Amino acid sequence: QVQVVESGGGVVQPGRSLRLSCVASGFTFNSHGMHWVRQAPGKGLEWVSVISRDGSIKYYADPVKGRFTISRDNSKNTLYLQMNSLRAEDTAMYYCAKPRSPGIAAAAVSWGQGTLVTVSS
Amino acid sequence: DIQMTQSPSSLSASVGDRVTITCQASQDISNYLNWYQQKPGKAPKLLIYDASNLETGVPSRFGGSGSGTDFSLTISSLQPEDIATYYCQQYDTLSMFTFGPGTKVDLK
C-alpha cells in the first residue's frame, strides 16, 4: 500500500538549518508531484511547497520563499525539504503528502505521520 | 492571494444530526476545492476532492457541493467517529494551495 515516511525533524536554534526527508513506497514515485504541509502546535494546516514529478517545477508558500528548498531523488524514492534561516514561527509538524493524481494541483490523498521541527534557543 | 474562510469555527451536534460546514473563497476558484478531516494527533485525511467528488473509502454520509466562491461539506448523519477538525483547501495558479482555518466538530 502507499506509504510516505518523514524523518529529520528535531530541535534547532534560530538561524540554523535542517533537512527533512520523506521516503515513499507503494506507488510509482517518479510519476507524482509531492507536497510538504506543516501544522504549528494547536494551529491549522499550512501548505509549504510542492514539486513536480521530474523536479522541474517548484512552488513555495510566501513565508518560506527564499529560505526553504524542495527537491527529490527519484532513484531513491525520496522527497526533501531543506530549511535554512529557521525562525521560531517555523516550529511545526511537517507532513509529506502524495497527490491523488500525477499533477501538482491534485488533492493530497496520502500523508505521512509527520516529523516535528522545533526552532528554539 | 486567495483567502479562505470557514464557518462556523466550531460546532456541537448530536449523533444522527445533519451537519453543514461552509467555505468561502475570496475569488472564483471554479471547483478547485478539497475537504480534509483531521483527528487529534493524526495526519489529515482527504474526504472530498474537486468540490463534490467523494474520495475512495470515505463513507457516503459525507458530501460536498459548490463552485466559484461558495462551498459546503455536509455530514448527513453525524457519527461519533466524525468528531474531528475539518479543513477546506483551494488550488490556484498564483498562491497554489491555501487551507481554510478549520471547523472543529464535537458531540453535544
Side-chain angles (χ1 to χ4, degrees), chain B residues 52-72:
Chain B
S52 60
N53 296 290
L54 193 68
E55 177 59 27
T56 302
V58 174
S60 59
R61 63 181 179 273
F62 290 93
S65 64
S67 67
T69 60
D70 296 298
F71 302 86
S72 63

Side-chain angles (χ1 to χ4, degrees), chain A residues 96-117:
Chain A
C96 160
K98 168 194 168 292
R100 67 180 310 282
S101 59
I104 61 172
V109 67
S110 301
W111 297 67
Q113 82 291 346
T115 187
L116 182 62
V117 173

Side-chain angles (χ1 to χ4, degrees), chain A residues 65-79:
Chain A
K65 208 170 288 185
R67 300 187 299 122
F68 289 12
T69 301
I70 191 171
S71 63
R72 64 191 297 160
D73 186 338
N74 287 343
S75 68
K76 296 181 178 179
N77 284 3
T78 302
L79 174 73

Side-chain angles (χ1 to χ4, degrees), chain B residues 35-82:
Chain B
W35 289 98
Y36 299 85
Q37 174 195 67
Q38 188 180 32
K39 298 181 179 180
K42 300 293 186 181
K45 174 185 176 182
L46 177 64
L47 299 177
I48 302 287
Y49 65 95
D50 296 344
S52 60
N53 296 290
L54 193 68
E55 177 59 27
T56 302
V58 174
S60 59
R61 63 181 179 273
F62 290 93
S65 64
S67 67
T69 60
D70 296 298
F71 302 86
S72 63
L73 172 71
T74 298
I75 308 173
S76 60
S77 177
L78 188 71
Q79 300 302 303
E81 60 266 32
D82 301 335

Side-chain angles (χ1 to χ4, degrees), chain B residues 11-14 17-21 73-78 103 105:
Chain B
L11 67 90
S12 295
S14 300
D17 281 354
R18 183 181 182 88
V19 170
T20 298
I21 299 167
L73 172 71
T74 298
I75 308 173
S76 60
S77 177
L78 188 71
T103 295
V105 175

